[in-house]
């Protein structure tokens, strides 16, 4: 059959537009998809106030390194409990022109000058753990952590329900604003007396000795709240050594703490999921570097609190042993 000029014109138009079965062109049916933004080759520095050997910070480090491997970026981790030395580590990272810095901010006043140098050099900063209230002021793009006030109030409520009326709140890092917020929060909801005891996390034998002495000298103390998993185990030993019947609770997890919860030696642990405090900041910096994304809308990104008790300790035990909880 011979085709008329009109039929040929229609066939040509169909060939050009490439009609789909739905009557739309394949080109306009949906937006083009692409791979997730990646900042491959970027170098990020994680600098915390965690003392070497502190199991809590080992989990943070695990999270940061896992994210680095996932995104194909370089991640270095350093920690020093001395604010002056932590500031020096930040200065060194800035001098090395890294692509992003993650900083725990236990002592905001001591770190703000060093963090300010990073911001001035247009190096994005994510703060983690303590110091949420000061994060925006120092120029960080976001903060990852938990509200220490909220977590403290939750701990106080549970201790009150357990019958605690006089609580020893054991502070293991002098000047850490987050630790004082935890004790204040517990004080608000306990409805009893909260006494603070300063110890040194780097000397656990001395921690046990000091808590033992306090429990022996004041038998009205019927509760102990530790703010670190290593301190929790030292306090557990102190309760045994002193013959006290004080009930023990703690902030943060370790494999030893989970075992102690299962054994009934620790009532509960307030879990801020510190693995996320390493993993998420590297994720956020990767997105910022590759796609200028910021997360949180000016508000902190919460990683907790959750509570691990005897009811759910078995579920997280293997995860804690693997270094991710």
């Amino acid at each position: 059959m011979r085709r008329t000029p009109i039929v040929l014109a229609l066939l040509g138009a169909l060939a050009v537009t490439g009609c789909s079965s739905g009557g739309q062109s394949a080109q306009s049916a949906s937006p083009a998809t692409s791979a997730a933004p990646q900042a491959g080759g970027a170098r990020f520095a994680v600098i915390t106030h965690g003392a070497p050997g502190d199991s809590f910070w080992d989990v943070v480090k695990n999270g940061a390194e896992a994210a680095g491997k996932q995104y194909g970026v370089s991640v270095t981790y350093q920690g020093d409990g001395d604010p002056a030395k932590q500031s020096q580590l930040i200065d060194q990272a800035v001098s090395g022109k890294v692509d992003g810095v993650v900083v725990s901010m236990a002592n905001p006043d001591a770190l703000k000058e060093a963090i300010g140098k990073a911001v001035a050099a247009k190096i994005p900063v994510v703060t983690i753990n303590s110091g949420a209230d000061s994060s925006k002021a120092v120029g960080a793009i976001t903060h990852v952590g938990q509200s220490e006030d909220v977590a403290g109030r939750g701990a106080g409520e549970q201790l009150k329900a357990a019958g605690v009326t006089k609580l020893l709140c054991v502070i293991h890092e002098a000047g850490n604003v987050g630790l004082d917020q935890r004790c204040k929060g517990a004080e608000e909801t306990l409805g009893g007396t909260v006494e603070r005891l300063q110890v040194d996390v780097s000397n656990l034998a001395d921690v046990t000795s000091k808590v033992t002495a306090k429990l022996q000298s004041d038998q009205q103390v019927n509760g102990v709240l530790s703010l670190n998993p290593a301190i929790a185990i030292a306090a557990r030993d102190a309760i045994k050594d002193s013959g006290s019947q004080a009930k023990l609770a703690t902030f943060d997890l370790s494999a030893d703490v989970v075992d102690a919860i299962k054994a009934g030696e620790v009532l509960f642990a307030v879990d801020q999921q510190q693995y996320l405090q390493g993993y998420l900041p590297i994720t956020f910096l990767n997105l910022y570097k590759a796609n200028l994304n910021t997360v949180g809308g000016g508000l902190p990104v919460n990683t907790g609190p959750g509570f691990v008790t005897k009811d759910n300790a078995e579920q997280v035990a293997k995860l804690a042993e693997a270094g991710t909880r």
Side-chain angles (χ1 to χ4, degrees):
M1 184 178 69
R2 184 179 178 184
R3 293 174 176 173
T4 66
I6 294 176
V7 172
L8 290 173
L10 289 172
L11 289 172
L14 289 171
V16 170
T17 55
C19 284
S20 68
S21 61
Q24 292 180 309
S25 71
Q27 188 176 9
S28 61
S30 62
T33 58
S34 62
Q38 299 289 334
R43 297 181 300 119
F44 301 137
V46 182
I47 301 166
T48 78
H49 66 279
D54 187 329
S55 59
F56 175 89
W57 292 102
D58 290 342
V59 178
V60 176
K61 179 183 177 185
N62 291 343
E65 292 178 343
K69 289 180 182 177
Q70 179 173 344
Y71 301 121
V73 299
S74 170
V75 174
T76 58
Y77 176 93
Q78 294 174 290
D80 199 305
D82 183 336
K85 293 181 180 177
Q86 188 185 3
S87 294
Q88 292 173 1
L89 293 174
I90 297 170
D91 288 341
Q92 291 170 10
V94 173
S95 298
K97 299 180 179 179
V98 296
D99 295 294
V101 178
V102 180
V103 181
S104 70
M105 206 163 50
N107 292 276
D109 289 341
L111 301 181
K112 62 183 179 182
E113 182 176 346
I115 294 175
K117 291 178 184 175
V119 174
K122 301 189 182 307
I123 296 174
V125 176
V126 175
T127 58
I128 63 171
N129 195 253
S130 298
D133 293 342
S134 301
S135 178
K136 190 174 183 179
V138 299
I141 60 173
T142 194
H143 179 86
V144 180
Q146 72 175 358
S147 167
E148 304 295 7
D149 294 319
V150 172
R153 289 197 290 272
E157 288 173 352
Q158 295 214 23
L159 288 165
K160 179 180 181 180
V164 174
T165 54
K166 187 168 186 178
L167 179 69
L168 192 64
C169 193
V170 186
I171 296 178
H172 59 275
E173 292 169 350
N176 186 330
V177 293
L179 301 185
D180 191 53
Q181 288 172 329
R182 291 175 177 180
C183 293
K184 284 182 178 178
E187 198 166 20
E188 289 175 11
T189 54
L190 183 71
T193 303
V194 176
E195 185 172 333
R196 292 162 175 74
L197 178 67
Q198 181 70 56
V199 298
D200 182 355
V201 69
S202 64
N203 189 344
L204 295 176
D206 187 60
V207 174
T208 299
S209 177
K210 285 185 175 178
V211 175
T212 299
K214 181 61 184 176
L215 293 174
Q216 289 176 335
S217 65
D218 186 353
Q219 298 186 5
Q220 296 300 310
V221 175
N222 61 353
V224 178
L225 179 61
S226 91
L227 309 179
N228 171 281
I231 299 297
I233 300 306
R236 177 202 62 185
D237 295 343
I239 291 172
K240 290 180 180 178
D241 293 347
S242 64
S244 170
Q245 298 299 311
K247 295 174 179 174
L248 173 63
T250 187
F251 278 70
D252 303 327
L253 283 180
S254 69
D256 289 340
V257 165
V258 174
D259 287 343
I261 293 172
K262 291 163 61 179
E265 298 170 332
V266 175
L267 281 178
F268 62 85
V270 181
D271 182 16
Q272 62 177 301
Q273 302 183 101
Q274 71 269 37
Y275 184 83
L276 296 179
Q277 295 178 11
Y279 184 88
L280 291 181
I282 298 302
T283 301
F284 294 170
L285 287 175
N286 178 67
L287 286 169
Y288 184 84
K289 176 72 176 176
N291 207 41
L292 288 180
N293 290 123
T294 57
V295 182
L299 298 176
V301 177
N302 288 328
T303 62
F307 290 88
V308 177
T309 67
K310 200 169 185 178
D311 292 336
N312 60 2
E314 189 67 45
Q315 293 176 291
V316 300
K318 291 183 179 179
L319 299 174
E321 290 175 358
T324 60
R325 290 294 297 271

